[in-house]
Amino acid sequence: MKKLSLFISLLALSAILVACQDSEEEAATNNASETEVQEAGEITVEGLGDHYHTGDTIELTAVLSEDVDYDHWHWYIKESEQTEWEAASGQESQTFTGEATTDGLEIKATLYDDNHEVYAESEPVTIVIDDHHGHDEESSNIYEGIFEDEQVKNRELSDWEGDWQSVYPYLLDGDLDEVFEHKAEEGDMTVEEYKEYYTTGYETDVERIIIDNGNVTFFRNGQESQGDYEYDGYEILTYEAGNRGVRFIYKLVGENDDMPNYIQFSDHNIFPTDSHHYHLYWGDDREELLEEVTHWPTYYPSDLDADDIVRDQLAH
């Protein structure tokens, strides 16, 4: 009986020791994981544009969440159809600079320690190339206002669906001065003349527009007004310079004193496609509105910042 009691006691003691050992190993593993994450830090990639045009410059910066002495950086790239990452040639600093040529290109930054072991790695960022109007001759001609009547097709209001911001505040803040300087280098007006021209064109008190399922909301000084609109055809206009444009027209449904009877879109497109920015005309007289060619409030997606808008305008 004594031997049996001793045997049971030894079994119980062994179980307790094993349980303690397992708990200690688990705690050690958890502590090691926590320490590893803390030591490695995190890398974020800054400078990614909302989208690029073919030939734009890509400028990215890797930012580590903590200060370390390591400065051995590598950038890696992977195209959408590839499965393996490859080192980006010549990209061995904290910044990445390249040309936008491949839509969907993934890029990530990696920092190595003194033993050439990976210390930290960023999440991949994706380069989106959206040339809007294309680079072929037909697309370029349409953008410039050269097209045949039969090329024009009806468009739904959904082509402009989204949350939009006026560029007028950016002009007033001086954010677009770089654009005017660029135009002056290639055009026939001075920087001041271009800025005056666009100030007249962009001026508006409607700082934001939301278009959703046929409903249009204007934001003026924080106040909202909205109305439903239905398609009312298009008009082809010939401008003084000889080029042409298309106004796609929508009429207010019912009566609403807070909203214009007509809104007219012009975005350099002449058939159904999602718009990336547009000029908007509004008023109560359809025909009179078609004669307006000097005042064209312009809207870009609300999630773009000044740099994104400048990049887009410099590309045209």
Side-chain angles (χ1 to χ4, degrees):
M1 178 65 76
K2 288 183 179 179
K3 290 183 178 180
L4 180 60
S5 297
L6 179 61
F7 179 70
I8 292 173
S9 297
L10 290 173
L11 282 178
L13 179 60
S14 298
I16 292 171
L17 290 175
V18 169
C20 290
Q21 184 177 1
D22 289 345
S23 297
E24 289 175 358
E25 289 177 353
E26 182 179 357
T29 300
N30 290 339
N31 289 337
S33 298
E34 291 174 3
T35 301
E36 182 178 347
V37 171
Q38 287 179 345
E39 288 179 353
E42 294 182 358
I43 297 175
T44 56
V45 175
E46 298 181 351
L48 181 70
D50 177 79
H51 68 273
Y52 297 85
H53 304 107
T54 300
D56 279 355
T57 298
I58 301 170
E59 295 181 339
L60 306 176
T61 302
V63 179
L64 190 64
S65 60
E66 59 184 26
D67 292 329
V68 295
D69 293 331
Y70 308 135
D71 60 356
H72 190 174
W73 291 91
H74 280 288
W75 292 80
Y76 292 88
I77 58 176
K78 180 164 70 74
E79 297 186 17
S80 56
E81 68 274 9
Q82 293 179 321
T83 57
E84 300 293 331
W85 290 90
E86 62 181 67
S89 176
Q91 308 291 342
E92 299 179 1
S93 69
Q94 202 164 347
T95 59
F96 175 99
T97 303
E99 183 179 343
T101 58
T102 304
D103 183 38
L105 181 71
E106 292 185 86
I107 304 176
K108 66 179 180 179
T110 303
L111 178 63
Y112 292 86
D113 62 19
D114 293 335
N115 297 318
H116 203 70
E117 298 289 338
V118 174
Y119 179 75
E121 189 171 76
S122 74
E123 291 293 325
V125 297
T126 303
I127 303 302
V128 176
I129 296 179
D130 190 341
D131 290 325
H132 301 340
H133 310 291
H135 284 278
D136 60 279
E137 184 177 359
E138 180 179 325
S139 297
S140 297
N141 283 341
I142 290 173
Y143 182 80
E144 296 297 332
I146 303 171
F147 53 84
E148 301 297 330
D149 289 2
E150 56 268 22
Q151 291 179 268
V152 182
K153 306 298 180 184
N154 293 313
R155 298 174 68 182
E156 300 291 335
L157 188 55
S158 57
D159 279 2
W160 295 277
E161 196 157 285
D163 192 328
W164 306 88
Q165 61 177 323
S166 166
V167 298
Y168 186 52
Y170 293 106
L171 182 149
L172 295 179
D173 289 344
D175 293 321
L176 305 185
D177 288 353
E178 180 184 353
V179 176
F180 306 139
E181 292 168 3
H182 177 73
K183 289 182 178 295
E185 291 174 358
E186 300 184 350
D188 54 4
M189 292 195 295
T190 65
V191 174
E192 293 74 19
E193 288 171 334
Y194 272 112
K195 187 166 187 175
E196 181 179 355
Y197 172 74
Y198 280 92
T199 298
T200 300
Y202 288 163
E203 184 179 6
T204 182
D205 63 350
V206 177
E207 66 267 12
R208 181 184 174 201
I209 298 174
I210 293 179
I211 301 174
D212 180 27
N213 195 29
N215 182 266
V216 179
T217 303
F218 280 6
F219 292 79
R220 291 185 175 94
N221 300 317
Q223 300 297 314
E224 300 180 28
S225 55
Q226 60 181 311
D228 293 325
Y229 286 82
E230 61 184 10
Y231 188 52
D232 195 46
Y234 62 78
E235 297 287 345
I236 300 174
L237 307 180
T238 300
Y239 303 123
E240 196 173 295
N243 60 321
R244 304 199 302 165
V246 181
R247 298 272 186 93
F248 293 92
I249 305 168
Y250 299 83
K251 183 179 181 181
L252 181 67
V253 177
E255 296 184 4
N256 185 338
D257 293 337
D258 295 327
M259 293 295 288
N261 287 336
Y262 294 94
I263 55 175
Q264 301 181 356
F265 291 87
S266 175
D267 62 359
H268 308 284
N269 293 303
I270 62 173
F271 40 69
T273 185
D274 289 340
S275 187
H276 298 279
H277 78 270
Y278 59 84
H279 313 293
L280 190 66
Y281 309 79
W282 60 84
D284 293 332
D285 189 313
R286 189 184 193 277
E287 299 306 314
E288 182 178 306
L289 202 56
L290 292 171
E291 298 176 6
E292 175 60 77
V293 293
T294 59
H295 181 223
W296 19 267
T298 300
Y299 295 86
Y300 277 81
S302 291
D303 59 357
L304 301 189
D305 61 17
D307 290 339
D308 294 324
I309 292 172
V310 168
R311 182 187 298 114
D312 187 273
Q313 293 199 349
L314 289 176
H316 297 100

